[in-house]
């Protein structure tokens, strides 16, 4: 399944940013791409640009209609839609619930709908856009950090459970990417992400390299591997370093 010619691909949250870049990169490689986004105009614009099929709507519920539009076959599902609310425990329940629904449960619902087809035919590819926050954390956003850890855990579970039955899973974990989400990240994004931010198309290329090499973890920012290692091998040192970043943000907010 590394040859994308005649492959059918669904990309959620594909109206811009990483999702649009994934859709475009698959289309350029000859795939038939279905473009999903909550914003119908953005989905239709990207689909028109790449010769794809637009399917506006909630990413959690599109698999049945996507299967119809793609003649009963989805080879690759890119669970890319995501939200990044700020705040901590004080954030309202509805903010936490929205983050769980989009960042985690949309992946679960898609897998629930896809797995019977993939297991029957012996193959399928699930790409979860997780973010480096799933391996590390994001200061200023507990809902984002917690749900991205859960998204990574679910992707790992899928791979552990189904890889011997032909289901290939990839966790896409970039740091800063020049998208609307980064522009909305505020001071924390400016401090942590903007200096090393990359373009969306670089994230798409990193995914295709990982697919070719058969790698689960996709790190468009290779340095994330070192940070993740430090987090596991020296948790107190890592937590202290991240707390220093938090304090720097708080000091900046007071000046």
């Amino acid at each position: 399944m590394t040859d994308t010619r005649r492959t059918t691909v669904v990309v959620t949250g594909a109206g811009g940013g990483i999702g649009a870049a994934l859709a475009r990169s698959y289309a350029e490689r000859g795939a038939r791409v279905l473009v999903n986004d909550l914003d119908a105009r953005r989905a239709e614009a990207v689909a028109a640009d790449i010769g794809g099929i637009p399917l506006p709507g909630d990413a959690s519920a599109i698999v049945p209609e996507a299967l119809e539009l793609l003649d009963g076959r989805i080879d690759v599902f890119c669970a890319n839609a995501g939200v990044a609310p700020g705040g901590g425990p004080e954030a309202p329940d509805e903010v936490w619930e929205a983050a769980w629904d989009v960042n985690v449960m949309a992946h679960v619902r898609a897998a629930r709908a896809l797995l019977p087809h993939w297991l029957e035919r012996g193959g399928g590819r699930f790409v979860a856009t997780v973010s480096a926050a799933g391996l590390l954390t994001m200061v200023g956003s507990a809902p984002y950090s917690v749900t991205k850890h859960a998204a990574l855990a679910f992707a790992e579970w899928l791979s552990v459970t189904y890889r011997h039955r032909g289901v290939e899973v990839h966790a896409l974990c970039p740091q800063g990417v020049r998208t609307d989400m980064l522009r909305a990240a505020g001071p924390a994004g400016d401090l942590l992400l903007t200096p090393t931010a990359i373009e969306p198309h670089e994230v798409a290329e990193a995914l295709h390299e990982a697919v070719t090499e058969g790698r689960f973890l996709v790190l468009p920012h290779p340095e994330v591997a070192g940070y993740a290692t430090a987090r596991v091998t020296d948790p107190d040192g890592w937590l202290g370093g991240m707390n220093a970043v938090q304090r720097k943000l708080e000091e900046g907010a007071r000046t």
Side-chain angles (χ1 to χ4, degrees):
M1 290 187 65
T2 57
D3 184 353
T4 58
R5 290 172 294 179
R6 298 179 298 280
T7 296
T8 54
V9 180
V10 174
V11 186
T12 68
I18 293 173
L22 293 173
R24 184 167 289 108
S25 69
Y26 272 108
E28 289 172 351
R29 288 166 167 80
R32 189 181 181 199
V33 181
L34 186 144
V35 179
N36 163 258
D37 200 271
L38 270 178
D39 188 320
R41 286 180 295 180
R42 295 182 74 179
E44 290 161 1
V46 172
D49 185 47
I50 67 171
I53 303 167
L55 179 55
D58 184 345
S60 286
I62 64 166
V63 170
E65 190 172 354
L67 281 167
E68 290 183 14
L69 291 169
L70 294 171
D71 303 318
R73 184 181 182 96
I74 296 173
D75 296 312
V76 181
F77 190 93
C78 297
N80 173 76
V83 294
E90 79 286 352
D93 282 359
E94 55 266 28
V95 170
W96 280 91
E97 289 163 3
W100 276 110
D101 192 64
V102 178
N103 294 347
V104 183
M105 291 308 300
H107 296 203
V108 174
R109 295 183 188 114
R112 182 186 297 149
L114 290 162
L115 282 167
H117 304 275
W118 286 352
L119 296 176
E120 182 180 3
R121 75 169 199 246
R125 189 180 304 279
F126 191 92
V127 178
T129 299
V130 172
S131 152
L135 287 164
L136 306 170
T137 195
M138 181 61 193
V139 296
S141 181
Y144 187 71
S145 299
V146 171
T147 56
K148 288 300 186 177
H149 274 264
L152 178 62
F154 183 65
E156 290 173 338
W157 186 91
L158 285 178
S159 183
V160 165
T161 306
Y162 296 112
R163 65 165 49 202
H164 67 291
R165 299 181 65 180
V167 177
E168 300 178 71
V169 183
H170 307 275
L172 186 53
C173 299
Q175 286 196 120
V177 183
R178 296 187 185 100
T179 65
D180 291 343
M181 187 176 285
L182 176 59
R183 287 185 281 274
D190 292 340
L191 179 62
L192 285 173
L193 305 177
T194 299
T196 59
I198 61 177
E199 296 296 334
H201 72 85
E202 295 177 82
V203 179
E205 288 303 314
L207 171 63
H208 290 295
E209 289 176 10
V211 169
T212 299
E213 296 170 8
R215 286 187 283 109
F216 167 80
L217 202 57
V218 187
L219 300 179
H221 295 79
E223 62 269 26
V224 169
Y227 303 152
T229 299
R231 175 178 170 269
V232 173
T233 58
D234 182 16
D236 291 308
W238 182 81
L239 289 168
M242 292 302 294
N243 181 250
V245 174
Q246 174 67 29
R247 285 181 280 131
K248 187 173 183 179
L249 282 171
E250 292 175 9
E251 291 165 4
R254 289 194 292 267
T255 59

